Amino acid sequence: MSPKPGNESATLTPLAGRSGRWYSLRLEYDSSRTRSPWWTPILSVVLALLLCAVFIAANGMSPLVVYEKMFRGAFGTSYGFTETMVKAIPLLLCGLGIAVAYRISVWNIGAEGQLTVGDMAATAVTIYFPDLSSFWSITLMLVFGTAAGALWGLMTAVPRTHFGVNELITSLMLNYVALLALDYVVFGPWKDPKGFNFPGSPMFTAAQSLPVLGSTRLHIGLVFGLVAVLIYYLMIRFTRWGYELRLIGANPTAARYAGIHIKKHIIIVMLISGGLAGIAGMAEVSGVTHKLMQGISPGYGYTAIIVAWLAKLNPLGLIVTSILFGGLIVGGYSVQTIGLPSSISEMLQGAILFFLIAGDMIHRFRIRRSA
Amino acid sequence: MDFTTQLLIAAISAGTPLLLATLGGILTERAGIIQLGAEGLMLMGAVTTCIVYIRSGNLILALLSAVAITALLGMVHSFLCVTLRANQTMSGLAMTLFGSGLSAYVGKSISGIPLPGSLPKLDLEILKPVPVLGELFGRLDLLTWFSLLLVLVLHLLIHHTSWGLHLRAVGDNPATADVMGIRVQLIRYCYVTAGAALIGLAGADMVLAYAPTWNEGLTAGRGWIAVGLVIFARWNPLRALFCAYFFGALDSLGFRIQLLGSAVPSYFLKMIPYVVTILVLMYLGYRNRNKPSGTPESLGTPYIREQRF
């Protein structure tokens, strides 16, 4: 049976009805269903957990034990929960930056590098201006970190707008450049002379560290993240700039005819995107690690891509998903105590993204009965 | 052996995985599907080769399993992008993230264990007396020869056969191809799967010929460089050969300069391939700003039958 012309459908296996009459089920693409439903993120997390359970079981461990360990480690104790929140901060800031860019289909995957240069710029302040007051050193670190991240974003934006280079490749290449530059400074010029030859910068002083909540490690960076989400929400909803972004996101061709300068918007969103990742880097180095060292980010920039996509680029959703993924990272660490690699959490992240994009599309198909 | 010959050999050895991955990318993208999962596929190919080779000691079995696993992932990508018409960028990213996570997870048990052997080399007696080439060819392993052969085969396939015509039609104008009776979806499935398998083979070559033990994140962005190389090569297998060896040379040049006792810190030398990728792409973009870039015209747009233009 060949499909009728102009009628796009895939015929599934014919099913025998109760009455014995044969009829078939068809999948029909409904292009009007563009809004993805609220349940796909939840379903994709569940399915990803099931898929990874297969791999865990194949490795000879009980998935239930592993997942229970992860959940307890991330959310079961007050220490675990504050650690989860600590990890959620860079995810929220980077994820927000990524969401801004994705809104107009600028696929920034360079948050990792932008965060790393933010780390380095903030550390540069502590090395070259060691004796500033608390206020000035934090302010300067914030300014430098943001500027460095924004510059890294600009280096992705300009090749895209003026040379037509795919921003995915540029931003990713710049991640490797940033990580190598980090290695260079921690092994070379910025190495702590009193650090027993350990690659890392000297410890920050109290004046160079962000304030923390009580005796936990939860730092003021959380406020940066929440304020940034609020500003983003207000800008998108109530400003001309936000309106133009929404217009480009909905239909770039129409936006161009409406006289919107798309190149300018690409540069602006990449500056914001990079700047936010830079803030995340600054907050991380000044609020958590208190020194620059190798492997300072466990792939926050990459995880933030999924955080943003899972939140469907929605600012409030970002808060929820970044906490969830913060928990996933902390949970990943806690399974190490039972001898499993923490890459389990990376695997889960990739699987969640797979099911998410599949789920959003499956929703667009309608099951039809055809005679 | 002089410096140039050494560099040439190093360039070929570092360039072969890039070449295989680029050819895989070309096949996928000629059919109109963006392949950004190359990094994840290479990692999966590499880790599968290592695990099977170490556990079984059988090289052929190891290569076959690497190809099979990555072809399976390629089918997942085709299912998402062709059947479900999902966002091809996101599907590729998911593949990279999932591939690097899964490869790190399953590779933990064999991390750092050296492989029981490497690829056999083809010693051709007739080539021995030729001055530089004789020495060069004696050192090429089977996968390198295979990749060279593949360049030729794919060039002929794409440009001189009716299969290639169908492939190009599907990538450039699926609606017309469909009207002509070409099975667009089937062809896309086949080439995306074959392309993914080649990228997996590139990963296998990484561990068999280049870095003989598994380490987490072993490919260090070479999958992404291959994604860039597909653009440099303008979706053309013959150009891919030169582009891949050029990058192989860059890759090993840093290492050589270091051996010569250069004052430049090694970190900066390691940045060369990444920085050059960006610069070359910018140059190509500038030079070809008013010319067609060779991109398959419907790259990245899913084909929907009822939408005819």
Side-chain angles (χ1 to χ4, degrees):
Chain A
M1 190 191 78
S2 66
K4 276 172 256 145
N7 182 5
E8 199 265 342
S9 62
T11 306
L12 288 186
T13 47
L15 298 174
R18 240 189 328 197
S19 61
R21 215 184 73 194
W22 285 85
Y23 54 86
S24 59
L25 290 178
R26 276 188 333 188
L27 278 182
E28 210 166 72
Y29 188 74
D30 182 352
S31 49
S32 66
R33 289 191 176 184
T34 47
R35 282 185 73 89
S36 49
W38 58 271
W39 45 264
T40 51
I42 299 167
L43 187 68
S44 57
V45 171
V46 173
L47 289 176
L49 285 170
L50 286 175
L51 176 71
C52 292
V54 175
F55 290 111
I56 294 168
N59 226 21
M61 299 290 290
S62 157
L64 277 179
V65 173
V66 173
Y67 288 156
E68 201 240 318
K69 189 90 191 163
M70 285 182 82
F71 186 78
R72 251 176 217 279
F75 300 104
T77 62
S78 62
Y79 170 77
F81 186 67
T82 54
E83 279 302 293
T84 295
M85 293 303 288
V86 167
K87 305 281 180 230
I89 294 166
L91 292 178
L92 180 60
L93 283 161
C94 292
L96 187 63
I98 286 168
V100 176
Y102 284 12
R103 207 159 249 281
I104 61 168
S105 294
V106 174
W107 309 108
N108 176 25
I109 52 170
E112 186 77 1
Q114 291 147 11
L115 178 136
T116 305
V117 293
D119 283 331
M120 287 163 62
T123 309
V125 172
T126 69
I127 287 181
Y128 298 111
F129 308 99
D131 301 317
L132 291 174
S133 70
S134 173
F135 174 78
W136 282 114
S137 76
I138 297 289
T139 310
L140 209 57
M141 284 163 88
L142 194 59
V143 171
F144 269 53
T146 316
L151 176 75
W152 224 243
L154 189 68
M155 281 163 64
T156 300
V158 171
R160 157 83 196 254
T161 54
H162 290 78
F163 299 91
V165 181
N166 187 331
E167 71 278 10
L168 279 156
I169 299 174
T170 326
S171 57
L172 194 103
M173 296 289 114
L174 288 173
N175 284 352
Y176 291 104
V177 173
L179 289 172
L180 285 165
L182 172 74
D183 283 357
Y184 167 67
V185 293
V186 296
F187 280 99
W190 293 356
K191 188 154 89 173
D192 183 6
K194 296 190 288 284
F196 305 103
N197 225 16
F198 182 79
S201 75
M203 277 308 259
F204 290 9
T205 61
Q208 292 156 346
S209 303
L210 288 178
V212 293
L213 180 76
S215 59
T216 66
R217 302 212 300 161
L218 189 57
H219 55 90
I220 197 100
L222 183 62
V223 179
F224 297 171
L226 295 175
V227 168
V229 166
L230 186 68
I231 293 174
Y232 169 73
Y233 177 73
L234 295 175
M235 295 279 282
I236 285 288
R237 285 300 292 271
F238 300 112
T239 66
R240 182 199 159 100
W241 174 77
Y243 173 71
E244 291 187 348
L245 276 199
R246 278 185 286 152
L247 199 58
I248 300 173
N251 189 341
T253 323
R256 199 164 32 241
Y257 283 122
I260 293 175
H261 201 320
I262 293 188
K263 283 187 179 179
K264 189 185 79 184
H265 277 289
I266 292 177
I267 291 183
I268 294 174
V269 296
M270 278 308 298
L271 284 173
I272 296 176
S273 197
L276 283 167
I279 296 177
M282 174 271 167
E284 190 66 12
V285 76
S286 163
V288 183
T289 61
H290 303 301
K291 68 179 195 174
L292 191 67
M293 54 190 183
Q294 221 187 352
I296 194 163
S297 156
Y300 289 131
Y302 300 110
T303 304
I305 297 170
I306 313 172
V307 167
W309 203 250
L310 196 66
K312 307 210 180 276
L313 315 184
N314 172 317
L316 293 177
L318 269 168
I319 298 176
V320 178
T321 53
S322 52
I323 294 172
L324 175 71
F325 276 72
L328 208 54
I329 296 176
V330 174
Y333 290 146
S334 56
V335 295
Q336 287 177 319
T337 55
I338 49 174
L340 280 170
S342 64
S343 45
I344 230 172
S345 93
E346 258 176 83
M347 187 167 79
L348 270 168
Q349 292 168 22
I352 289 173
L353 191 54
F354 260 132
F355 286 114
L356 187 68
I357 55 178
D360 280 351
M361 295 310 292
I362 286 174
H363 167 72
R364 296 194 187 180
F365 287 87
R366 232 196 266 261
I367 299 176
R368 278 276 179 81
R369 228 177 65 185
S370 64
Chain B
M1 207 165 31
D2 60 350
F3 183 78
T4 328
T5 319
Q6 274 183 1
L7 185 66
L8 213 55
I9 290 171
I12 293 178
S13 128
T16 302
L18 288 176
L19 177 60
L20 285 166
T22 307
L23 291 174
I26 289 175
L27 272 190
T28 311
E29 301 207 344
R30 277 279 182 181
I33 304 292
I34 303 175
Q35 178 54 285
L36 294 173
E39 180 81 1
L41 287 169
M42 272 179 86
L43 283 166
M44 284 308 294
V47 81
T48 314
T49 311
C50 283
I51 291 176
V52 177
Y53 200 11
I54 289 172
R55 295 271 155 82
S56 76
N58 187 334
L59 179 63
I60 305 291
L61 191 67
L63 283 173
L64 286 179
S65 0
V67 166
I69 295 273
T70 48
L72 198 68
L73 285 169
M75 280 183 201
V76 173
H77 187 57
S78 335
F79 176 68
L80 288 171
C81 299
V82 180
T83 304
L84 295 183
R85 301 149 194 185
N87 184 323
Q88 298 177 9
T89 304
M90 275 298 146
S91 173
L93 277 182
M95 183 115 69
T96 291
L97 288 165
F98 183 68
S100 44
L102 181 60
S103 65
Y105 179 66
V106 297
K108 197 79 176 176
S109 60
I110 49 131
S111 181
I113 300 175
L115 293 180
S118 64
L119 291 165
K121 291 188 168 42
L122 201 65
D123 249 331
L124 289 181
E125 284 301 324
I126 12 163
L127 288 170
K128 276 278 158 62
V130 189
V132 176
L133 293 180
E135 205 156 8
L136 191 65
F137 284 148
R139 284 159 196 274
L140 301 187
D141 55 56
L142 280 180
L143 268 179
T144 309
W145 285 110
F146 173 72
S147 67
L148 287 170
L149 187 68
L150 201 64
V151 169
L152 198 67
V153 170
L154 290 187
H155 171 73
L156 292 175
L157 172 85
I158 292 175
H159 298 284
H160 298 281
T161 65
S162 59
W163 285 356
L165 195 64
H166 291 179
L167 170 63
R168 283 181 289 150
V170 163
D172 281 333
N173 197 335
T176 310
D178 194 14
V179 173
M180 298 300 287
I182 299 170
R183 300 184 65 181
V184 176
Q185 303 219 338
L186 180 72
I187 286 193
R188 287 195 163 169
Y189 259 89
C190 290
Y191 283 102
V192 172
T193 306
L198 272 184
I199 300 172
L201 201 60
D205 188 64
M206 274 295 296
V207 287
L208 288 170
Y210 193 73
T213 56
W214 167 256
N215 281 305
E216 199 179 317
L218 161 122
T219 49
R222 283 186 182 78
W224 286 100
I225 289 183
V227 172
L229 283 174
V230 173
I231 303 171
F232 297 166
R234 297 209 203 159
W235 295 267
N236 180 332
L238 288 183
R239 282 170 191 271
L241 181 75
F242 296 106
C243 296
Y245 286 171
F246 172 65
F247 268 76
L250 280 183
D251 203 351
S252 44
L253 195 64
F255 183 62
R256 306 263 141 192
I257 294 175
Q258 216 180 325
L259 285 186
L260 291 175
S262 149
V264 183
S266 63
Y267 309 102
F268 292 108
L269 298 174
K270 282 187 203 153
M271 284 179 196
I272 293 173
Y274 308 116
V275 175
V276 171
T277 306
I278 298 175
L279 293 180
V280 174
L281 282 175
M282 281 171 71
Y283 168 71
L284 283 181
Y286 175 74
R287 203 188 62 183
N288 298 336
R289 64 198 177 284
N290 297 322
K291 276 193 279 178
S293 62
T295 320
E297 273 165 36
S298 69
L299 183 63
T301 42
Y303 173 58
I304 304 168
R305 190 175 252 170
E306 70 258 54
Q307 282 187 354
R308 292 217 179 101
F309 298 102

